Amino acid sequence: MKLPVRTAGFYVSLVAAAMLTGCATTNPNQPTTLKAAYKRHFHVGVAINRDIATGDAVHADNVNRTRQQINKDIALVEEQFDQISPENDLKWQIIQPRPGPDGYNFGPADAYVNFGLRHHMYVVGHTLVWHNQTPNWVFRGTNPPPESPGGDSVGFGFGGGFGFSGPRASRDQLLERMREHIFTVVGRYKRKVKVWDVVNEAVADNGTNLLRKSLWLQIIGPDFIAKAFEYAHEADPHAILRYNDYGLEDPVKRHKLITLIKSLQAQHVPVMAIGSQTHVSVSSPSFAQEDQELTDLETLRLPIHITELDVNGARGGQRSNSGDVSANASATQGEMVSNADQKLADAYSNLFRAFIKHKSVKLVTFWGVNDAVSWRARGRPLLFDGNDQPKPAFYAVLHVANRRLPKAGN
Ligand code: GLA
């Protein structure tokens, strides 16, 4: 067992918080880090921002940490997690802001990947094809746009791709841009990045349409998903290729996803894992709802990854500004719920009881290391506070792994 490098104060607070949450987790022989506690179940990872990846106060990703705080954030990442995801730096908007081979900006992505390799972590790549945080040039061409695109909304927020209404690329042009991007990015990190989110958030939220009416869908057609997976597989045949989406706690959206993946499987498209983002709140899902989600997803017979876990503790609001990092603060609204620490601990406990019940869950990634750097900072959704101190939810999560049997029920 690797004991964390912590001060005596840490252990005092461990005992105090264990008492607060009613947990009996202070046995000195039990693991005190997330990665050690869950070793026999799944990887426990975290999304890191550019400050953490570079060790520099670059203030990207809408965070404003001092160098001292960044050092603490890095120490916490090293101590608790064995997997990382990039919060923003591998998104198209950042890694290829301009067209062509000279349009790439590999610096931040290289720093991210090197951070993972240096710390012997399991490195995830996020994300290759998405309707959001994709620059307009990707979709631009000489074909006039349809007069009234109609149908489902393309998604939340903005950040490139959304607002683009000019003349469009042809199907062949867009496929070629997608192929070039995937080959370059996946090729560069071949064998270093072990898992790729190949397509993010393609399923429609509302209505009867299966797929979101993104520019990818409108210009290429529904096979943009299959093509993206085929290109990624060709670029790195060893990488685990993931389809990632949010809102799978909702049975209607979940069944759309299952329909989509089954149809891709019938076409032998190399989808190798399902990513359930799991941006949830203290009020739902319950243990039973999460259990049901995982049971349903298991019908696909693929590993399940919980890819962007956080639990909003604010009363209102949801993920209304996905991908627009400058508007992250409004991703949560309202005051904190009453007794927020305890409710957060209970919610995380329910989730982790469901995760360990399902052997197909192979990886759980928190979307940020602490409340201060979270895109939902106002809802204080993570296990560590802005000073990197563990909250009762941290001990609740440890307790689930450290006790012998997961308790059934809500
Ligand atoms: C989505 C994306 C993530 C991130 C969050 C909001 O879930 O997949 O990359 O942008 O929105 O921060």
Side-chain angles (χ1 to χ4, degrees):
M1 177 183 70
K2 179 179 175 292
L3 275 175
V5 188
R6 285 292 196 181
T7 60
F10 175 83
Y11 293 102
V12 170
S13 62
L14 193 150
V15 175
M19 288 163 68
L20 180 69
T21 54
C23 305
T25 64
T26 50
N27 179 341
N29 296 320
Q30 289 185 330
T32 52
T33 66
L34 298 168
K35 64 182 173 190
Y38 283 93
K39 204 178 171 70
R40 65 196 173 90
H41 298 288
F42 38 71
H43 287 285
V44 185
V46 63
I48 64 168
N49 56 40
R50 198 181 302 172
D51 284 0
I52 294 175
T54 60
D56 239 340
V58 287
H59 304 317
D61 310 283
N62 199 36
V63 295
N64 193 7
R65 304 284 276 170
T66 64
R67 192 172 289 267
Q68 202 187 4
Q69 287 172 322
I70 294 165
N71 289 341
K72 278 173 74 183
D73 295 351
I74 292 172
L76 190 60
V77 170
E78 291 170 4
E79 176 189 283
Q80 292 292 331
F81 304 96
D82 61 11
Q83 178 267 313
I84 49 168
S85 297
E87 191 170 347
N88 285 299
D89 283 336
L90 271 81
K91 291 175 181 169
W92 198 316
Q93 188 178 52
I94 292 173
I95 202 168
Q96 195 189 9
R98 290 171 303 283
D102 298 333
Y104 284 92
N105 170 29
F106 291 120
D110 286 356
Y112 162 77
V113 173
N114 290 335
F115 181 97
L117 298 179
R118 214 164 50 241
H119 294 99
H120 310 288
M121 289 169 157
Y122 196 64
V123 179
V124 165
H126 170 84
T127 179
L128 297 169
V129 174
W130 190 23
H131 61 275
N132 205 340
Q133 290 187 273
T134 304
N136 285 341
W137 69 260
V138 175
F139 304 107
R140 189 171 291 133
T142 52
N143 293 338
E147 271 179 22
S148 158
D152 274 8
S153 68
V154 290
F156 294 112
F158 58 92
F162 275 121
F164 181 68
S165 55
R168 296 168 171 198
S170 67
R171 169 182 158 92
D172 286 350
Q173 254 172 340
L174 187 53
L175 278 173
E176 184 44 37
R177 287 172 191 168
M178 180 206 274
R179 186 177 180 283
E180 191 277 332
H181 180 84
I182 291 178
F183 267 67
T184 304
V185 177
V186 174
R188 185 176 181 90
Y189 302 116
K190 194 169 176 172
R191 302 218 176 210
K192 296 178 175 168
V193 167
K194 303 289 187 196
V195 180
W196 277 102
D197 282 331
V198 179
V199 175
N200 198 28
E201 305 182 349
V203 172
D205 285 320
N206 305 310
T208 51
N209 284 356
L210 188 65
L211 297 180
R212 177 189 306 279
K213 204 159 179 171
S214 68
L215 286 166
W216 294 107
L217 177 68
Q218 292 178 45
I219 297 173
I220 297 177
D223 65 338
F224 83 90
I225 301 174
K227 293 286 185 201
F229 276 92
E230 282 157 20
Y231 298 154
H233 190 45
E234 209 182 323
D236 184 356
H238 296 279
I240 294 175
L241 304 183
R242 195 159 79 180
Y243 175 83
N244 191 45
D245 218 320
Y246 65 85
L248 305 183
E249 301 75 35
D250 167 20
V252 175
K253 183 149 182 192
R254 180 158 80 234
H255 285 106
K256 285 187 185 181
L257 170 124
I258 291 170
T259 304
L260 168 67
I261 304 297
K262 283 196 169 152
S263 120
L264 294 171
Q265 289 176 325
Q267 300 164 61
H268 305 289
V269 175
V271 181
M272 302 173 194
I274 299 300
S276 174
Q277 293 185 5
T278 320
H279 292 295
V280 294
S281 80
V282 287
S283 55
S284 79
S286 64
F287 170 84
Q289 287 165 333
E290 185 63 23
D291 187 25
Q292 189 60 51
E293 175 189 335
L294 297 171
T295 302
D296 290 352
L297 292 180
E298 274 168 345
T299 59
L300 296 169
R301 303 193 175 283
L302 291 174
I304 298 171
H305 294 182
I306 305 299
T307 52
E308 304 184 17
L309 179 61
D310 55 19
V311 179
N312 188 5
R315 281 179 206 279
Q318 234 322 80
R319 50 190 312 293
S320 58
N321 287 284
S322 160
D324 175 13
V325 292
S326 65
N328 275 351
S330 53
T332 44
Q333 290 151 21
E335 298 299 308
M336 293 294 287
V337 295
S338 61
N339 207 5
D341 272 349
Q342 184 63 51
K343 286 195 179 124
L344 192 76
D346 292 346
Y348 270 114
S349 174
N350 286 337
L351 288 167
F352 276 80
R353 284 195 292 123
F355 299 160
I356 60 173
K357 185 181 163 193
H358 291 268
K359 302 284 170 251
S360 50
V361 175
K362 301 292 185 202
L363 181 152
V364 175
T365 308
F366 288 86
W367 203 245
V369 67
N370 67 40
D371 288 343
V373 302
S374 164
W375 73 299
R376 300 166 117 187
R378 284 192 204 156
R380 293 183 224 147
L382 294 166
L383 303 188
F384 298 92
D385 69 16
N387 294 317
D388 289 320
Q389 292 307 301
K391 296 158 60 178
F394 169 77
Y395 302 103
V397 169
L398 272 191
H399 180 56
V400 170
N402 288 341
R403 68 188 172 177
R404 276 203 202 110
L405 285 173
K407 203 172 77 190
N410 284 308

